[in-house]
Amino acid sequence: MGEEKAKSSSSGARVWLTVKPFVNGGASGMLATCVIQPVDMVKVRIQLGQGSAAQVTKNMLRDEGLGAFYKGLSAGLLRQATYTTARLGSFRILTNKVVAANDGKPLPLYQKALCGLSAGAIGACVGNPADLALIRMQADATLPPAQRRNYKNALHALYRIFADEGVFALWKGAGPTVVRAMGLNMGMLASYEQSVEFFKDNLGFGEASTVLGASAVSGFFASACSLPFDYVKTQIQKMRPDADGKYPYTGSWDCVMKTLKSGGPFKFYSGFPVYCVRIAPHAMLTLIFLNQIQKLEESVGL
């Protein structure tokens, strides 16, 4: 009886060690999203051409009320529960395996970057349906009343997309989503890991200042690496057919070329200040929450 209990306990511990990076990643991302959602809403409206951050905020408050800033929160939380769970969990699993392959030596930057790229691709593939629902819910109020989809929540959006457009429509825009996620996670996770080592080993920072400083560096590089891909992804996911049934873009590359022709390369950085304000704090908060969750687990012996 005692041996069976020991085996069961040991098996449960192994399962928890496997799933813990995923649980921690998803929880930290969802907490960060609750804080950042209003800024993300403004960022999407700017990319859809509704004006500056101040104009968008003023118009939303006047026309739609405070609740408009949290429209799409259910999709945002679902996205974190899928995308961030997969990307942060995968990154930790991949880095652990590479460390083991390196005989426990610290990873060089290029290996961290490769782990970040891989984790971003995995997370984006898992999270694309929720990301598509989030973009559509946030953009819905900008459409004429006759064209609005009027999704009630994230699950209703996923059901409607599946029922009206087919299962593969849930992965519409998956190409740019995956590329954007690879860029973001390479910038975010590799720079964070590298900065932690630098602040601790070279500058002698304490734990709190190391986490804060490294997460700030991580947020900047996540923003700089991902905004062009985010712009293309948003344009692809929000497009609707015209009266003849034609879409404005045939694909991601077509969107890139038409954007370059009409607005030049800086068009891809539309809304960069707000995007940076949104992405950097979200990255920072996600990593800070992740650190605090890990500390809490250590304090209770998990």
Side-chain angles (χ1 to χ4, degrees):
M1 180 70 81
E3 290 183 2
E4 290 180 2
K5 286 185 177 180
K7 287 182 180 179
S8 177
S9 176
S10 176
S11 177
R14 286 197 298 270
V15 171
W16 170 242
L17 287 175
T18 300
V19 302
K20 184 165 73 168
F22 297 92
V23 173
N24 292 351
S28 62
M30 292 173 77
L31 288 170
T33 291
C34 290
V35 178
I36 297 299
Q37 177 70 15
V39 181
D40 190 39
M41 190 68 185
V42 173
K43 182 266 297 183
V44 170
R45 296 289 182 94
I46 291 172
Q47 288 187 332
L48 295 178
Q50 292 196 343
S52 66
Q55 290 173 326
V56 169
T57 302
K58 180 181 177 181
N59 292 340
M60 288 177 66
L61 284 171
R62 183 191 64 213
D63 300 335
E64 303 171 59
L66 189 62
F69 291 93
Y70 281 92
K71 189 169 186 179
L73 179 61
S74 61
L77 292 176
L78 179 61
R79 179 176 183 270
Q80 296 302 316
T82 52
Y83 166 62
T84 299
T85 296
R87 69 184 176 114
L88 293 186
S90 298
F91 181 75
R92 187 52 55 207
I93 295 296
L94 289 171
T95 53
N96 287 344
K97 287 186 177 297
V98 177
V99 167
N102 289 354
D103 298 322
K105 298 177 182 177
L107 302 185
L109 181 59
Y110 81 91
Q111 289 186 337
K112 295 170 185 171
L114 288 174
C115 288
L117 285 169
S118 302
I122 293 169
C125 290
V126 173
N128 195 80
D131 191 52
L132 176 62
L134 173 62
I135 292 292
R136 289 195 176 185
M137 290 177 71
Q138 289 179 328
D140 207 39
T142 69
L143 300 172
Q147 296 181 17
R148 292 178 185 174
R149 300 177 175 95
N150 297 314
Y151 298 137
K152 298 176 183 177
N153 52 52
L155 294 179
H156 181 239
L158 293 175
Y159 170 76
R160 283 275 306 279
I161 294 169
F162 170 76
D164 298 344
E165 304 172 49
V167 65
F168 292 111
L170 293 169
W171 278 271
K172 183 179 288 185
T177 298
V178 169
V179 174
R180 181 248 187 197
M182 291 172 70
L184 186 149
N185 283 278
M186 179 188 69
M188 173 182 171
L189 299 176
S191 65
Y192 178 76
E193 294 286 324
Q194 194 73 17
S195 297
V196 166
E197 293 177 8
F198 178 76
F199 289 143
K200 272 187 178 180
D201 300 338
N202 296 78
L203 301 182
F205 282 12
E207 182 178 359
S209 54
T210 293
V211 171
L212 184 62
S215 61
V217 172
S218 170
F220 173 79
F221 280 102
S223 303
C225 292
S226 63
L227 179 55
F229 306 114
D230 184 79
Y231 179 88
V232 173
K233 174 183 71 70
T234 300
Q235 298 303 312
I236 293 294
Q237 289 185 330
K238 79 174 182 65
M239 65 181 181
R240 293 179 64 91
D242 59 19
D244 297 325
K246 294 182 179 179
Y247 286 94
Y249 308 112
T250 58
S252 301
W253 185 247
D254 186 48
C255 178
V256 170
M257 297 308 296
K258 286 181 178 177
T259 301
L260 281 172
K261 186 176 180 180
S262 63
F266 290 108
K267 182 68 174 177
F268 293 106
Y269 282 90
S270 297
F272 178 75
V274 173
Y275 183 80
C276 192
V277 167
R278 183 258 167 183
I279 289 293
H282 192 281
M284 290 179 66
L285 287 170
T286 297
L287 295 168
I288 290 170
F289 280 132
L290 180 61
N291 177 263
Q292 293 303 306
I293 290 170
Q294 290 170 339
K295 287 178 66 176
L296 177 63
E297 289 173 344
E298 290 175 2
S299 68
V300 298
L302 289 177

PDB file of all heavy atoms in Angstrom, residues 246-273:
ATOM      1  N   LYS A 246     -14.773  39.944 -53.608  1.00  0.00           N
ATOM      2  CA  LYS A 246     -13.314  39.963 -53.626  1.00  0.00           C
ATOM      3  C   LYS A 246     -12.771  40.581 -52.338  1.00  0.00           C
ATOM      4  O   LYS A 246     -13.302  41.570 -51.842  1.00  0.00           O
ATOM      5  CB  LYS A 246     -12.804  40.752 -54.832  1.00  0.00           C
ATOM      6  CG  LYS A 246     -13.136  40.111 -56.177  1.00  0.00           C
ATOM      7  CD  LYS A 246     -12.544  40.927 -57.313  1.00  0.00           C
ATOM      8  CE  LYS A 246     -12.840  40.283 -58.666  1.00  0.00           C
ATOM      9  NZ  LYS A 246     -12.277  41.085 -59.796  1.00  0.00           N
ATOM     10  N   TYR A 247     -11.691  39.992 -51.833  1.00  0.00           N
ATOM     11  CA  TYR A 247     -11.035  40.534 -50.656  1.00  0.00           C
ATOM     12  C   TYR A 247      -9.991  41.568 -51.069  1.00  0.00           C
ATOM     13  O   TYR A 247      -9.440  41.486 -52.185  1.00  0.00           O
ATOM     14  CB  TYR A 247     -10.357  39.416 -49.861  1.00  0.00           C
ATOM     15  CG  TYR A 247     -11.321  38.543 -49.088  1.00  0.00           C
ATOM     16  CD1 TYR A 247     -11.801  37.355 -49.628  1.00  0.00           C
ATOM     17  CD2 TYR A 247     -11.753  38.914 -47.825  1.00  0.00           C
ATOM     18  CE1 TYR A 247     -12.695  36.557 -48.917  1.00  0.00           C
ATOM     19  CE2 TYR A 247     -12.641  38.126 -47.101  1.00  0.00           C
ATOM     20  CZ  TYR A 247     -13.107  36.945 -47.651  1.00  0.00           C
ATOM     21  OH  TYR A 247     -13.987  36.176 -46.950  1.00  0.00           O
ATOM     22  N   PRO A 248      -9.698  42.551 -50.216  1.00  0.00           N
ATOM     23  CA  PRO A 248      -8.708  43.578 -50.587  1.00  0.00           C
ATOM     24  C   PRO A 248      -7.307  43.026 -50.794  1.00  0.00           C
ATOM     25  O   PRO A 248      -6.519  43.618 -51.532  1.00  0.00           O
ATOM     26  CB  PRO A 248      -8.752  44.552 -49.402  1.00  0.00           C
ATOM     27  CG  PRO A 248      -9.374  43.792 -48.278  1.00  0.00           C
ATOM     28  CD  PRO A 248     -10.311  42.821 -48.909  1.00  0.00           C
ATOM     29  N   TYR A 249      -6.984  41.909 -50.121  1.00  0.00           N
ATOM     30  CA  TYR A 249      -5.657  41.307 -50.274  1.00  0.00           C
ATOM     31  C   TYR A 249      -5.814  39.820 -50.579  1.00  0.00           C
ATOM     32  O   TYR A 249      -6.699  39.143 -50.031  1.00  0.00           O
ATOM     33  CB  TYR A 249      -4.824  41.465 -49.002  1.00  0.00           C
ATOM     34  CG  TYR A 249      -4.734  42.875 -48.485  1.00  0.00           C
ATOM     35  CD1 TYR A 249      -5.337  43.243 -47.281  1.00  0.00           C
ATOM     36  CD2 TYR A 249      -4.051  43.861 -49.187  1.00  0.00           C
ATOM     37  CE1 TYR A 249      -5.266  44.534 -46.803  1.00  0.00           C
ATOM     38  CE2 TYR A 249      -3.970  45.159 -48.721  1.00  0.00           C
ATOM     39  CZ  TYR A 249      -4.584  45.495 -47.525  1.00  0.00           C
ATOM     40  OH  TYR A 249      -4.513  46.775 -47.051  1.00  0.00           O
ATOM     41  N   THR A 250      -4.954  39.318 -51.459  1.00  0.00           N
ATOM     42  CA  THR A 250      -4.992  37.887 -51.766  1.00  0.00           C
ATOM     43  C   THR A 250      -4.205  37.066 -50.749  1.00  0.00           C
ATOM     44  O   THR A 250      -4.349  35.861 -50.681  1.00  0.00           O
ATOM     45  CB  THR A 250      -4.423  37.628 -53.170  1.00  0.00           C
ATOM     46  OG1 THR A 250      -3.077  38.119 -53.232  1.00  0.00           O
ATOM     47  CG2 THR A 250      -5.267  38.333 -54.222  1.00  0.00           C
ATOM     48  N   GLY A 251      -3.372  37.724 -49.955  1.00  0.00           N
ATOM     49  CA  GLY A 251      -2.578  37.035 -48.948  1.00  0.00           C
ATOM     50  C   GLY A 251      -1.645  38.014 -48.265  1.00  0.00           C
ATOM     51  O   GLY A 251      -1.686  39.228 -48.510  1.00  0.00           O
ATOM     52  N   SER A 252      -0.792  37.486 -47.414  1.00  0.00           N
ATOM     53  CA  SER A 252       0.108  38.333 -46.630  1.00  0.00           C
ATOM     54  C   SER A 252       1.079  39.111 -47.516  1.00  0.00           C
ATOM     55  O   SER A 252       1.311  40.311 -47.296  1.00  0.00           O
ATOM     56  CB  SER A 252       0.897  37.465 -45.641  1.00  0.00           C
ATOM     57  OG  SER A 252       0.034  36.784 -44.772  1.00  0.00           O
ATOM     58  N   TRP A 253       1.661  38.437 -48.512  1.00  0.00           N
ATOM     59  CA  TRP A 253       2.628  39.114 -49.368  1.00  0.00           C
ATOM     60  C   TRP A 253       1.959  40.223 -50.175  1.00  0.00           C
ATOM     61  O   TRP A 253       2.541  41.299 -50.372  1.00  0.00           O
ATOM     62  CB  TRP A 253       3.307  38.117 -50.296  1.00  0.00           C
ATOM     63  CG  TRP A 253       4.392  38.720 -51.133  1.00  0.00           C
ATOM     64  CD1 TRP A 253       4.403  38.889 -52.487  1.00  0.00           C
ATOM     65  CD2 TRP A 253       5.628  39.274 -50.665  1.00  0.00           C
ATOM     66  NE1 TRP A 253       5.570  39.498 -52.899  1.00  0.00           N
ATOM     67  CE2 TRP A 253       6.343  39.748 -51.798  1.00  0.00           C
ATOM     68  CE3 TRP A 253       6.209  39.403 -49.398  1.00  0.00           C
ATOM     69  CZ2 TRP A 253       7.588  40.340 -51.695  1.00  0.00           C
ATOM     70  CZ3 TRP A 253       7.454  40.003 -49.302  1.00  0.00           C
ATOM     71  CH2 TRP A 253       8.131  40.463 -50.432  1.00  0.00           C
ATOM     72  N   ASP A 254       0.750  39.982 -50.642  1.00  0.00           N
ATOM     73  CA  ASP A 254      -0.001  41.002 -51.366  1.00  0.00           C
ATOM     74  C   ASP A 254      -0.261  42.205 -50.468  1.00  0.00           C
ATOM     75  O   ASP A 254      -0.161  43.359 -50.900  1.00  0.00           O
ATOM     76  CB  ASP A 254      -1.315  40.420 -51.877  1.00  0.00           C
ATOM     77  CG  ASP A 254      -2.079  41.397 -52.754  1.00  0.00           C
ATOM     78  OD1 ASP A 254      -1.466  41.982 -53.669  1.00  0.00           O
ATOM     79  OD2 ASP A 254      -3.290  41.587 -52.521  1.00  0.00           O
ATOM     80  N   CYS A 255      -0.574  41.948 -49.206  1.00  0.00           N
ATOM     81  CA  CYS A 255      -0.784  43.027 -48.234  1.00  0.00           C
ATOM     82  C   CYS A 255       0.492  43.827 -48.040  1.00  0.00           C
ATOM     83  O   CYS A 255       0.469  45.070 -47.988  1.00  0.00           O
ATOM     84  CB  CYS A 255      -1.267  42.441 -46.906  1.00  0.00           C
ATOM     85  SG  CYS A 255      -1.511  43.667 -45.604  1.00  0.00           S
ATOM     86  N   VAL A 256       1.628  43.133 -47.935  1.00  0.00           N
ATOM     87  CA  VAL A 256       2.916  43.806 -47.767  1.00  0.00           C
ATOM     88  C   VAL A 256       3.203  44.723 -48.952  1.00  0.00           C
ATOM     89  O   VAL A 256       3.565  45.899 -48.787  1.00  0.00           O
ATOM     90  CB  VAL A 256       4.050  42.777 -47.606  1.00  0.00           C
ATOM     91  CG1 VAL A 256       5.419  43.453 -47.685  1.00  0.00           C
ATOM     92  CG2 VAL A 256       3.914  42.044 -46.275  1.00  0.00           C
ATOM     93  N   MET A 257       3.039  44.215 -50.160  1.00  0.00           N
ATOM     94  CA  MET A 257       3.373  44.991 -51.358  1.00  0.00           C
ATOM     95  C   MET A 257       2.440  46.180 -51.534  1.00  0.00           C
ATOM     96  O   MET A 257       2.883  47.292 -51.875  1.00  0.00           O
ATOM     97  CB  MET A 257       3.325  44.089 -52.590  1.00  0.00           C
ATOM     98  CG  MET A 257       4.349  42.946 -52.572  1.00  0.00           C
ATOM     99  SD  MET A 257       6.040  43.516 -52.239  1.00  0.00           S
ATOM    100  CE  MET A 257       6.360  44.531 -53.674  1.00  0.00           C
ATOM    101  N   LYS A 258       1.146  45.993 -51.293  1.00  0.00           N
ATOM    102  CA  LYS A 258       0.200  47.103 -51.444  1.00  0.00           C
ATOM    103  C   LYS A 258       0.430  48.164 -50.375  1.00  0.00           C
ATOM    104  O   LYS A 258       0.266  49.361 -50.631  1.00  0.00           O
ATOM    105  CB  LYS A 258      -1.232  46.571 -51.381  1.00  0.00           C
ATOM    106  CG  LYS A 258      -1.649  45.823 -52.639  1.00  0.00           C
ATOM    107  CD  LYS A 258      -3.090  45.339 -52.555  1.00  0.00           C
ATOM    108  CE  LYS A 258      -3.504  44.644 -53.857  1.00  0.00           C
ATOM    109  NZ  LYS A 258      -4.893  44.107 -53.774  1.00  0.00           N
ATOM    110  N   THR A 259       0.800  47.730 -49.176  1.00  0.00           N
ATOM    111  CA  THR A 259       1.083  48.682 -48.104  1.00  0.00           C
ATOM    112  C   THR A 259       2.330  49.488 -48.414  1.00  0.00           C
ATOM    113  O   THR A 259       2.363  50.708 -48.221  1.00  0.00           O
ATOM    114  CB  THR A 259       1.256  47.943 -46.766  1.00  0.00           C
ATOM    115  OG1 THR A 259       0.052  47.219 -46.461  1.00  0.00           O
ATOM    116  CG2 THR A 259       1.537  48.921 -45.633  1.00  0.00           C
ATOM    117  N   LEU A 260       3.373  48.812 -48.917  1.00  0.00           N
ATOM    118  CA  LEU A 260       4.597  49.520 -49.311  1.00  0.00           C
ATOM    119  C   LEU A 260       4.318  50.535 -50.412  1.00  0.00           C
ATOM    120  O   LEU A 260       4.849  51.655 -50.399  1.00  0.00           O
ATOM    121  CB  LEU A 260       5.652  48.515 -49.783  1.00  0.00           C
ATOM    122  CG  LEU A 260       6.421  47.752 -48.711  1.00  0.00           C
ATOM    123  CD1 LEU A 260       7.270  46.662 -49.355  1.00  0.00           C
ATOM    124  CD2 LEU A 260       7.300  48.697 -47.888  1.00  0.00           C
ATOM    125  N   LYS A 261       3.477  50.165 -51.355  1.00  0.00           N
ATOM    126  CA  LYS A 261       3.172  51.036 -52.480  1.00  0.00           C
ATOM    127  C   LYS A 261       2.363  52.249 -52.043  1.00  0.00           C
ATOM    128  O   LYS A 261       2.600  53.369 -52.512  1.00  0.00           O
ATOM    129  CB  LYS A 261       2.409  50.251 -53.554  1.00  0.00           C
ATOM    130  CG  LYS A 261       2.165  51.042 -54.831  1.00  0.00           C
ATOM    131  CD  LYS A 261       1.484  50.172 -55.880  1.00  0.00           C
ATOM    132  CE  LYS A 261       1.234  50.962 -57.161  1.00  0.00           C
ATOM    133  NZ  LYS A 261       0.566  50.125 -58.202  1.00  0.00           N
ATOM    134  N   SER A 262       1.427  52.041 -51.134  1.00  0.00           N
ATOM    135  CA  SER A 262       0.531  53.132 -50.741  1.00  0.00           C
ATOM    136  C   SER A 262       1.087  54.009 -49.622  1.00  0.00           C
ATOM    137  O   SER A 262       0.812  55.212 -49.578  1.00  0.00           O
ATOM    138  CB  SER A 262      -0.825  52.563 -50.299  1.00  0.00           C
ATOM    139  OG  SER A 262      -0.674  51.751 -49.144  1.00  0.00           O
ATOM    140  N   GLY A 263       1.852  53.418 -48.705  1.00  0.00           N
ATOM    141  CA  GLY A 263       2.294  54.181 -47.544  1.00  0.00           C
ATOM    142  C   GLY A 263       3.766  54.122 -47.229  1.00  0.00           C
ATOM    143  O   GLY A 263       4.230  54.812 -46.304  1.00  0.00           O
ATOM    144  N   GLY A 264       4.518  53.298 -47.945  1.00  0.00           N
ATOM    145  CA  GLY A 264       5.941  53.168 -47.665  1.00  0.00           C
ATOM    146  C   GLY A 264       6.215  52.285 -46.463  1.00  0.00           C
ATOM    147  O   GLY A 264       5.287  51.831 -45.777  1.00  0.00           O
ATOM    148  N   PRO A 265       7.494  52.029 -46.161  1.00  0.00           N
ATOM    149  CA  PRO A 265       7.845  51.094 -45.087  1.00  0.00           C
ATOM    150  C   PRO A 265       7.385  51.538 -43.705  1.00  0.00           C
ATOM    151  O   PRO A 265       7.094  50.702 -42.847  1.00  0.00           O
ATOM    152  CB  PRO A 265       9.380  51.018 -45.167  1.00  0.00           C
ATOM    153  CG  PRO A 265       9.793  52.255 -45.895  1.00  0.00           C
ATOM    154  CD  PRO A 265       8.686  52.558 -46.856  1.00  0.00           C
ATOM    155  N   PHE A 266       7.310  52.860 -43.484  1.00  0.00           N
ATOM    156  CA  PHE A 266       6.920  53.323 -42.151  1.00  0.00           C
ATOM    157  C   PHE A 266       5.435  53.072 -41.862  1.00  0.00           C
ATOM    158  O   PHE A 266       5.001  53.189 -40.721  1.00  0.00           O
ATOM    159  CB  PHE A 266       7.247  54.800 -41.985  1.00  0.00           C
ATOM    160  CG  PHE A 266       8.716  55.070 -41.911  1.00  0.00           C
ATOM    161  CD1 PHE A 266       9.376  55.681 -42.969  1.00  0.00           C
ATOM    162  CD2 PHE A 266       9.463  54.691 -40.800  1.00  0.00           C
ATOM    163  CE1 PHE A 266      10.749  55.915 -42.922  1.00  0.00           C
ATOM    164  CE2 PHE A 266      10.835  54.921 -40.739  1.00  0.00           C
ATOM    165  CZ  PHE A 266      11.476  55.533 -41.802  1.00  0.00           C
ATOM    166  N   LYS A 267       4.664  52.743 -42.893  1.00  0.00           N
ATOM    167  CA  LYS A 267       3.250  52.407 -42.685  1.00  0.00           C
ATOM    168  C   LYS A 267       3.112  51.189 -41.776  1.00  0.00           C
ATOM    169  O   LYS A 267       2.147  51.069 -41.016  1.00  0.00           O
ATOM    170  CB  LYS A 267       2.581  52.135 -44.039  1.00  0.00           C
ATOM    171  CG  LYS A 267       1.092  51.824 -43.956  1.00  0.00           C
ATOM    172  CD  LYS A 267       0.291  53.019 -43.513  1.00  0.00           C
ATOM    173  CE  LYS A 267      -1.208  52.731 -43.587  1.00  0.00           C
ATOM    174  NZ  LYS A 267      -2.012  53.880 -43.093  1.00  0.00           N
ATOM    175  N   PHE A 268       4.093  50.294 -41.840  1.00  0.00           N
ATOM    176  CA  PHE A 268       4.051  49.097 -41.001  1.00  0.00           C
ATOM    177  C   PHE A 268       4.215  49.429 -39.520  1.00  0.00           C
ATOM    178  O   PHE A 268       3.926  48.592 -38.662  1.00  0.00           O
ATOM    179  CB  PHE A 268       5.142  48.109 -41.423  1.00  0.00           C
ATOM    180  CG  PHE A 268       4.934  47.527 -42.792  1.00  0.00           C
ATOM    181  CD1 PHE A 268       5.728  47.936 -43.860  1.00  0.00           C
ATOM    182  CD2 PHE A 268       3.940  46.593 -43.029  1.00  0.00           C
ATOM    183  CE1 PHE A 268       5.547  47.407 -45.125  1.00  0.00           C
ATOM    184  CE2 PHE A 268       3.748  46.059 -44.287  1.00  0.00           C
ATOM    185  CZ  PHE A 268       4.551  46.470 -45.351  1.00  0.00           C
ATOM    186  N   TYR A 269       4.714  50.627 -39.241  1.00  0.00           N
ATOM    187  CA  TYR A 269       4.891  51.048 -37.852  1.00  0.00           C
ATOM    188  C   TYR A 269       3.810  52.033 -37.414  1.00  0.00           C
ATOM    189  O   TYR A 269       4.019  52.800 -36.482  1.00  0.00           O
ATOM    190  CB  TYR A 269       6.292  51.629 -37.652  1.00  0.00           C
ATOM    191  CG  TYR A 269       7.341  50.551 -37.532  1.00  0.00           C
ATOM    192  CD1 TYR A 269       7.988  50.072 -38.665  1.00  0.00           C
ATOM    193  CD2 TYR A 269       7.650  49.990 -36.301  1.00  0.00           C
ATOM    194  CE1 TYR A 269       8.930  49.048 -38.567  1.00  0.00           C
ATOM    195  CE2 TYR A 269       8.589  48.977 -36.199  1.00  0.00           C
ATOM    196  CZ  TYR A 269       9.229  48.514 -37.326  1.00  0.00           C
ATOM    197  OH  TYR A 269      10.151  47.494 -37.223  1.00  0.00           O
ATOM    198  N   SER A 270       2.664  51.975 -38.091  1.00  0.00           N
ATOM    199  CA  SER A 270       1.526  52.793 -37.670  1.00  0.00           C
ATOM    200  C   SER A 270       1.152  52.439 -36.235  1.00  0.00           C
ATOM    201  O   SER A 270       1.015  51.264 -35.891  1.00  0.00           O
ATOM    202  CB  SER A 270       0.318  52.527 -38.583  1.00  0.00           C
ATOM    203  OG  SER A 270       0.592  52.898 -39.903  1.00  0.00           O
ATOM    204  N   GLY A 271       0.985  53.466 -35.417  1.00  0.00           N
ATOM    205  CA  GLY A 271       0.618  53.216 -34.032  1.00  0.00           C
ATOM    206  C   GLY A 271       1.733  52.660 -33.185  1.00  0.00           C
ATOM    207  O   GLY A 271       1.465  52.046 -32.140  1.00  0.00           O
ATOM    208  N   PHE A 272       3.011  52.877 -33.597  1.00  0.00           N
ATOM    209  CA  PHE A 272       4.117  52.289 -32.845  1.00  0.00           C
ATOM    210  C   PHE A 272       4.162  52.732 -31.384  1.00  0.00           C
ATOM    211  O   PHE A 272       4.379  51.897 -30.496  1.00  0.00           O
ATOM    212  CB  PHE A 272       5.466  52.585 -33.511  1.00  0.00           C
ATOM    213  CG  PHE A 272       6.631  52.024 -32.745  1.00  0.00           C
ATOM    214  CD1 PHE A 272       6.906  50.668 -32.764  1.00  0.00           C
ATOM    215  CD2 PHE A 272       7.450  52.854 -31.982  1.00  0.00           C
ATOM    216  CE1 PHE A 272       7.969  50.136 -32.045  1.00  0.00           C
ATOM    217  CE2 PHE A 272       8.513  52.329 -31.260  1.00  0.00           C
ATOM    218  CZ  PHE A 272       8.772  50.971 -31.296  1.00  0.00           C
ATOM    219  N   PRO A 273       3.985  54.030 -31.087  1.00  0.00           N
ATOM    220  CA  PRO A 273       4.033  54.409 -29.660  1.00  0.00           C
ATOM    221  C   PRO A 273       3.018  53.660 -28.814  1.00  0.00           C
ATOM    222  O   PRO A 273       3.339  53.146 -27.744  1.00  0.00           O
ATOM    223  CB  PRO A 273       3.755  55.924 -29.691  1.00  0.00           C
ATOM    224  CG  PRO A 273       4.194  56.354 -31.044  1.00  0.00           C
ATOM    225  CD  PRO A 273       3.850  55.217 -31.950  1.00  0.00           C
TER     226      PRO A 273
END
